[in-house]
Amino acid sequence: MKKVCLGIFFLFLSLAAMAQTTSAGRERATICGYITDAESGERLIGATVFDTVSHLGTVSNHAGFYSLTLPKGKHVLRANYVGFRTSDSHTLTLTADTLCNFPLRSATVIEEVTVVGQKSVSSPEAVQMSAIEVPVSQIKAIPMIAGEVDIIKALQLLPGVQSGSEGSAGLYVRGGGPDENLILLDGVPLYNVNHLMGFFSVFNADAIKNVTLYKGNFPAQYGGRLSSIIDVRQNDGNTEGYHGNFTVGLLAAKFNLEGPIPHVKDSTGTTTFNISARRTYFDVFTTPIMELISLSMGNGAMGAGAYFYDVNAKLSHTFANTTDKLSASFYMGNDAVYMNMRHNEQEDVDKMRLKMNMRMGWGNIVAALNWEHCYTSRLFSNTQLSFTQYKYSIAESMTQVLKRNGITTATFEQQMSYNSSLRDVTLQTHYEWTPLPNNSLRFGAEYAYHQFRPEVGNLFLFEQNADNETRLDTVLSDGTLHGHEAAVYIEDQWSPWRWLKLNIGVRGSLYGIHGKVYPSIEPRVGLRALLYKDLAFKASYSYTTQYVHLLSNSDVSLPTDLWVPVTEEIAPMHSMIAAAGLSYNILDQVEASVEGYYKRSVNLLEYKDGASFFGSSSTWQDKVVMGDGWSYGVEVLLQRKTGPVTGWIGYTWSRSMRQFNREGQEINFGRPFHAKYDREHDLSITLQYQINKHIDIAGTFVYGTGTRATLATQHYYDPTLGEEVEYFEERNNYQMPDYHRLDLGINFHFPHKYSAWGQQEPTRKQQRKIWRNPEKLAKHQAIYESGKYAWCKNAEHLLNISIYNVYCHANPYMMIADATESTLYQVSIFPILPSISYTFKF
């Protein structure tokens, strides 16, 4: 590994020397600035700036900042971004470093460029492979489940990404598990992204600006996970006025409000805010149902419910000189599932009173303070201090009282609680330096303090009768684990010739816990060779290390899954992934790509057969074993970005295997076995059609080979145990039936009454006349645009109707074996699910 580091170091020196040699004798200057949404002031991530004279270009970073170094002289610049009109040509004579901002305007209905995934630049030109940027505005067009937009479920439709159980928010990327995905909210990790057992994700789409998925070829800036990076960015807030929306669906309601803070937009800069909140009312529906059940019980009462809520907030201040921006972001979300029951029985003089309560809760808290600074036109930095916390708890209690003739004869009381928590405090800084138009460097460092409390259990028992009294009060705990993680990285993107781009980086990290230190060197290499104008060959190699594990013995993502760190006995996980493919742009309308990959992982963790997260005083380290895994596959993506019909077709052929054959840690007798979510074929088709400015429709079709399950192959009577015993020949030996479904959705957009008629509301008869008469419509529109009702300039009513699983296919959720009949029974949970939601935007 030392030789690898030295090789990369000398390679960086060679690239820098060659770059300087290439630029000798040429006078250059740098153009830099920000690319923004002209209507809201929101900075655009991944927008392209291109010089039509030198044919050089660049892409804006996560802050909307770009830097382009060009030879001095005359240049013509244009900027573009998916969903926006290409900017007018900006002609300038470059003599010194110049600031040039590009405000882009949204495209009209006819011009609109709609796409659910866009590369940071046009696919054949980009050196980055296995990465897709997902505009949230297009995610909202996908058919909804229960009337709620879900970012995670939209990502499940991309090639190389598979879902877990029916309706869950789990992500299985290129054969990896759900714990192998680094999910970032404004650069801060989230350790649980599920609401209501995975039925919803924690991301409120109204608060989100941009989503980027990396399935491989990870930039050196990112580390700590093996399979994917999901970078989610929140909106900063509208600088031009107050805007927002309010949505009511079948199971949840939410609102969003953004705008500038009054009396702060002055010579010192502009301050904006963005706040969103969401809550389900599922518990409101279950309460009357439980009351009916209580009435049928007669001598008692029952109550149960589940709900979640989350809040997103961001405060941003952009200084007048535009070289600095300070922002603070916050997220808090909580789930609760509860049940309580009271029951009374009386027989003659004897009376029994029973009371039971159960509550389970879990949630995330994320807070970050971020400072962006532009030192020069070529050097940009981003420094962040952040805090993240995930915790869950389970509490159960039961009280039973026996009375005879009104006198208490016996009392039994039991209370049990179980808690787990994880906290991180992270300081990180990142730099982007563009010394030359064909050479850019990224480097930085970060430090994170981790605190884990994997298992803390409390048990209280009290029993009293006429003869004796028994009391037990105990605490079971694995103690608190403290981890320290540090990393540095450097990455160089260099284009020695126009047809060739190289991306070479290395990340070095250390993880220390209880005196044990684990070092890791992670090289990252990528290249793009332009074979023809619109055809490119790409290849990449990434080595990654993961210092945390998620222990789960359930097929469903539950809050009781344990996040645990490496220890003196549990080593980090490592993964190597290599990929190669072709990218082709068909007539500037359809992007086609084919990628093949091979991935190898070591030190994967699984529970021992029969082990569980709870019910034993032994530590979690005694319940797990370590092994290896490998996966490979081919991904095909066809994507149309322009025109009234947009969408994509994604297909994946893949294999994912596991093997646990280390001495004393065998699973499946040490033989290789299929991973739980090993799906050979996976197909998704997503299409969107904008009929006119008032109506758009969308459809999604999904097909996937069945997942795996472990079923007994034989049953026999064991005379020693005195009972029937199941024999399992192999883990994950049964493949469930194939999964497929069709979802449809339609959106109706209605303009708000004042946005069309101006000063007063007309009668219905007048409304019809106005809409039929273009001259009257123009007159009232002019009154409206005069500014008196500027707050509702873009106000509209949106009605969404979606149908999940249109043809009501019974997809398998689990299989139940009946040993007596030698029959398998399929359990399905989601039939056809129609939903409706209403949104008011202003």
Side-chain angles (χ1 to χ4, degrees):
M1 193 60 71
K2 291 182 178 179
K3 293 181 179 179
V4 173
C5 295
L6 289 174
I8 292 176
F9 175 74
F10 285 116
L11 181 58
F12 277 124
L13 292 181
S14 301
L15 293 177
M18 293 178 68
Q20 294 295 333
T21 302
T22 304
S23 62
R26 298 181 182 179
E27 293 187 5
R28 299 179 181 272
T30 299
I31 305 171
C32 68
Y34 294 88
I35 307 174
T36 61
D37 182 337
E39 297 178 359
S40 67
E42 195 76 40
R43 294 179 178 180
L44 301 178
I45 301 173
T48 303
V49 176
F50 185 75
D51 175 29
T52 60
V53 176
S54 64
H55 300 288
L56 296 174
T58 188
V59 176
S60 62
N61 62 13
H62 70 275
F65 177 81
Y66 78 92
S67 177
L68 183 61
T69 302
L70 299 170
K72 291 183 178 180
K74 184 177 180 181
H75 296 278
V76 180
L77 300 180
R78 303 189 74 182
N80 63 76
Y81 185 69
V82 169
F84 288 77
R85 299 174 182 172
T86 301
S87 69
D88 295 332
S89 297
H90 187 82
T91 304
L92 73 164
T93 301
L94 189 62
T95 58
D97 290 351
T98 303
L99 177 66
C100 183
N101 296 323
F102 287 94
L104 303 182
R105 296 194 174 276
S106 298
T108 64
V109 176
I110 302 301
E111 300 169 328
E112 187 167 8
V113 183
T114 54
V115 59
V116 170
Q118 85 166 52
K119 303 289 180 175
S120 55
V121 292
S122 62
S123 184
E125 288 290 332
V127 65
Q128 180 74 50
M129 68 182 305
S130 307
I132 300 177
E133 291 182 4
V134 187
V136 178
S137 60
Q138 303 309 315
I139 292 178
K140 294 179 179 180
I142 296 175
M144 306 177 188
I145 179 171
E148 186 67 23
V149 177
D150 197 309
I151 290 175
I152 297 298
K153 287 184 174 57
L155 294 179
Q156 292 172 350
L157 300 174
L158 297 173
V161 183
Q162 297 177 351
S163 62
S165 304
E166 169 82 10
S168 73
L171 288 176
Y172 297 80
V173 181
R174 290 184 170 178
D179 62 325
E180 297 176 17
N181 307 308
L182 178 60
I183 302 177
L184 303 170
L185 180 63
D186 280 345
V188 187
L190 278 170
Y191 286 93
N192 184 287
V193 294
N194 297 326
H195 280 313
L196 293 182
M197 309 298 184
F199 193 74
F200 297 107
S201 73
V202 301
F203 297 113
N204 183 346
D206 291 336
I208 304 304
K209 172 170 60 176
N210 184 270
V211 182
T212 305
L213 168 68
Y214 299 91
K215 299 178 293 182
N217 190 207
F218 305 133
Q221 171 184 346
Y222 301 110
R225 297 296 189 274
L226 303 186
S227 293
S228 76
I229 310 295
I230 302 172
D231 189 7
V232 181
R233 298 286 171 172
Q234 294 189 89
N235 286 316
D236 293 320
N238 197 304
T239 61
E240 305 303 318
Y242 298 103
H243 294 272
N245 60 71
F246 176 77
T247 302
V248 178
L250 289 182
L251 297 180
K254 58 184 178 180
F255 84 91
N256 170 255
L257 182 65
E258 61 175 340
I261 295 181
H263 310 300
V264 179
K265 185 175 180 181
D266 54 24
S267 59
T268 63
T270 303
T271 300
T272 60
F273 72 92
N274 182 42
I275 183 168
S276 299
R278 177 175 57 161
R279 192 196 191 279
T280 56
Y281 27 78
F282 184 74
D283 51 328
V284 176
F285 294 147
T286 58
T287 298
I289 298 175
M290 291 297 104
E291 290 178 353
L292 292 175
I293 296 176
S294 298
L295 292 175
S296 65
M297 294 174 59
N299 298 325
M302 176 182 290
Y307 67 88
F308 75 82
Y309 70 87
D310 49 34
V311 177
N312 296 75
K314 190 168 185 179
L315 187 69
S316 303
H317 181 76
T318 303
F319 293 86
N321 56 14
T322 71
T323 61
D324 290 274
K325 179 181 177 181
L326 191 64
S327 61
S329 56
F330 174 79
Y331 167 82
M332 180 177 68
N334 280 290
D335 284 70
V337 179
Y338 60 90
M339 184 189 72
N340 53 73
M341 184 182 72
R342 297 191 305 274
H343 183 65
N344 300 313
E345 287 187 6
Q346 186 165 358
E347 184 176 350
D348 296 332
V349 296
D350 294 325
K351 183 178 181 180
M352 186 272 292
R353 186 175 76 246
L354 177 66
K355 183 178 180 181
M356 298 179 63
N357 292 283
M358 186 279 291
R359 184 178 181 89
M360 180 167 62
W362 66 95
N364 296 281
I365 295 178
V366 169
L369 184 64
N370 195 75
W371 173 45
E372 298 169 3
H373 179 66
C374 184
Y375 292 92
T376 68
S377 58
R378 303 184 185 187
L379 181 61
F380 180 88
S381 73
N382 177 41
T383 302
Q384 184 183 81
L385 176 65
S386 63
F387 168 81
T388 183
Q389 172 185 276
Y390 170 67
K391 64 178 181 179
Y392 75 84
S393 63
I394 303 174
E396 297 180 1
S397 66
M398 182 180 71
T399 303
Q400 185 177 26
V401 178
L402 300 178
K403 292 185 177 182
R404 172 166 290 183
N405 294 322
I407 301 174
T408 301
T409 58
T411 301
F412 176 78
E413 183 178 352
Q414 175 181 304
Q415 296 179 5
M416 183 188 70
S417 65
Y418 184 84
N419 302 277
S420 179
S421 65
L422 184 159
R423 294 184 179 92
D424 288 353
V425 177
T426 305
L427 177 64
Q428 53 186 316
T429 183
H430 309 282
Y431 292 87
E432 300 178 19
W433 180 43
T434 309
L436 296 167
N438 61 346
N439 188 267
S440 62
L441 279 171
R442 296 184 179 184
F443 53 94
E446 63 180 83
Y447 165 78
Y449 166 71
H450 305 277
Q451 185 186 81
F452 297 84
R453 300 192 74 188
E455 293 180 298
V456 180
N458 294 275
L459 180 63
F460 173 79
L461 294 173
F462 176 76
E463 186 174 1
Q464 183 183 39
N465 53 43
D467 298 326
N468 56 53
E469 178 179 308
T470 303
R471 183 184 297 268
L472 174 65
D473 192 353
T474 185
V475 176
L476 306 174
S477 175
D478 282 341
T480 302
L481 302 174
H482 303 274
H484 302 269
E485 182 178 0
V488 295
Y489 72 91
I490 185 171
E491 181 179 65
D492 184 32
Q493 182 170 303
W494 179 54
S495 180
W497 302 280
R498 187 179 182 278
W499 62 271
L500 180 64
K501 282 185 180 180
L502 300 173
N503 193 319
I504 302 172
V506 62
R507 179 184 177 90
S509 61
L510 293 171
Y511 195 97
I513 187 166
H514 290 180
K516 177 71 173 180
V517 177
Y518 291 100
S520 178
I521 301 296
E522 306 168 23
R524 317 281 174 87
V525 180
L527 69 86
R528 184 275 289 160
L530 201 61
L531 306 179
Y532 185 65
K533 177 183 177 182
D534 295 318
L535 177 65
F537 169 78
K538 298 182 181 183
S540 67
Y541 171 86
S542 295
Y543 183 85
T544 56
T545 301
Q546 182 167 332
Y547 298 106
V548 293
H549 307 270
L550 182 66
L551 303 181
S552 175
N553 59 352
S554 171
D555 296 338
V556 183
S557 180
L558 296 173
T560 52
D561 297 344
L562 287 177
W563 281 102
V564 293
V566 296
T567 65
E568 297 93 332
E569 302 176 10
I570 305 297
M573 296 187 290
H574 301 280
S575 178
M576 176 277 297
I577 180 169
L582 294 173
S583 179
Y584 183 53
N585 195 336
I586 304 174
L587 301 176
D588 290 327
Q589 292 196 25
V590 178
E591 233 174 58
S593 64
V594 180
E595 289 187 19
Y597 69 89
Y598 177 80
K599 178 182 176 182
R600 183 84 185 186
S601 303
V602 297
N603 297 337
L604 301 179
L605 239 58
E606 290 274 1
Y607 271 120
K608 294 179 180 177
D609 290 331
S612 172
F613 79 97
F614 189 70
S616 171
S617 60
S618 62
T619 65
W620 62 268
Q621 298 178 73
D622 300 326
K623 306 175 189 177
V624 298
V625 293
M626 301 179 69
D628 304 325
W630 60 94
S631 59
Y632 49 89
V634 177
E635 300 167 2
V636 180
L637 178 65
L638 295 174
Q639 192 173 41
R640 190 169 190 266
K641 296 184 175 183
T642 59
V645 179
T646 58
W648 76 95
I649 299 175
Y651 169 75
T652 304
W653 176 88
S654 62
R655 280 298 188 193
S656 181
M657 304 294 293
R658 299 286 186 268
Q659 186 171 22
F660 291 76
N661 60 352
R662 303 178 188 183
E663 185 176 354
Q665 303 188 63
E666 293 87 354
I667 293 180
N668 195 51
F669 309 105
R671 301 194 300 262
F673 60 90
H674 293 277
K676 167 66 180 175
Y677 293 99
D678 175 28
R679 285 177 169 158
E680 185 174 3
H681 302 284
D682 196 68
L683 172 70
S684 64
I685 302 174
T686 297
L687 295 176
Q688 301 164 13
Y689 176 46
Q690 189 139 15
I691 300 174
N692 53 47
K693 65 180 180 179
H694 297 299
I695 302 175
D696 60 82
I697 59 176
T700 297
F701 176 75
V702 178
Y703 170 83
T705 307
T707 58
R708 298 278 173 169
T710 303
L711 299 178
T713 54
Q714 297 180 26
H715 296 79
Y716 62 92
Y717 179 79
D718 190 328
T720 305
L721 299 176
E723 60 182 21
E724 190 85 6
V725 176
E726 296 179 334
Y727 174 73
F728 298 90
E729 185 176 289
E730 188 174 2
R731 176 171 282 205
N732 297 335
N733 58 349
Y734 176 77
Q735 187 172 34
M736 292 189 183
D738 293 350
Y739 179 99
H740 56 89
R741 76 170 197 272
L742 173 68
D743 305 334
L744 295 176
I746 183 168
N747 291 315
F748 298 95
H749 304 261
F750 305 100
H752 186 58
K753 57 187 178 182
Y754 286 116
S755 65
W757 301 298
Q759 296 186 24
Q760 59 183 0
E761 180 182 1
T763 64
R764 292 191 177 182
K765 185 177 180 180
Q766 290 173 329
Q767 292 179 21
R768 290 193 295 270
K769 288 183 179 180
I770 289 172
W771 284 111
R772 292 173 184 173
N773 191 322
E775 293 181 0
K776 288 186 177 181
L777 177 60
K779 177 182 177 181
H780 285 270
Q781 192 70 25
I783 296 174
Y784 149 67
E785 291 177 351
S786 64
K788 186 172 183 179
Y789 298 96
W791 65 271
C792 60
K793 184 176 180 179
N794 296 312
E796 70 171 7
H797 304 269
L798 171 63
L799 181 67
N800 172 268
I801 301 175
S802 296
I803 303 177
Y804 180 89
N805 196 5
V806 171
Y807 51 85
C808 198
H809 180 248
N811 287 302
Y813 181 74
M814 66 172 61
M815 306 298 293
I816 299 178
D818 189 330
T820 59
E821 301 179 6
S822 300
T823 305
L824 286 176
Y825 294 95
Q826 176 180 302
V827 177
S828 302
I829 60 173
F830 289 139
I832 182 172
L833 292 177
S835 65
I836 186 170
S837 67
Y838 164 77
T839 301
F840 173 62
K841 299 181 179 180
F842 61 91

